[in-house]
Amino acid sequence: MKKNYIQNIVIHVSDNMDSRSLSNKINEFHVEVIERRLNDSNLSAKEKIAVIDRILENLKSREHEGIIK
């Protein structure tokens, strides 16, 4: 059986909302999710570092003009 997971997130932004603040909150959320999953895993510290390195490589490879697609 397949686990449920988030596929898309839709954010409705009002005219007076600070987009930088929203971006920072989303980034913090992602960091917390990654940290929680790594802490719950049975990986060694070296393997956790490798996972983080691969995440960063993936993000850098999808970046175009400062925007990750």
Side-chain angles (χ1 to χ4, degrees):
M1 182 175 231
K2 187 175 177 181
K3 284 187 172 182
N4 293 333
Y5 61 95
I6 298 171
Q7 295 179 353
N8 293 309
I9 297 174
V10 177
I11 301 172
H12 300 277
V13 181
S14 65
D15 293 336
N16 59 357
M17 182 178 244
D18 181 20
S19 62
R20 287 231 188 260
S21 173
L22 179 62
S23 175
N24 288 337
K25 288 179 183 178
I26 292 171
N27 289 339
E28 289 173 14
F29 170 76
H30 283 111
V31 168
E32 289 173 9
V33 169
I34 292 167
E35 183 178 19
R36 190 176 333 114
R37 286 191 170 189
L38 286 174
N39 287 336
D40 291 344
S41 72
N42 293 327
L43 299 174
S44 68
K46 193 172 187 177
E47 291 170 323
K48 290 178 183 180
I49 292 170
V51 168
I52 293 169
D53 287 343
R54 289 189 63 189
I55 290 171
L56 292 173
E57 287 174 18
N58 181 284
L59 291 173
K60 287 178 185 177
S61 71
R62 297 184 315 163
E63 184 177 357
H64 180 67
E65 296 180 4
I67 298 173
I68 298 173
K69 299 200 176 209

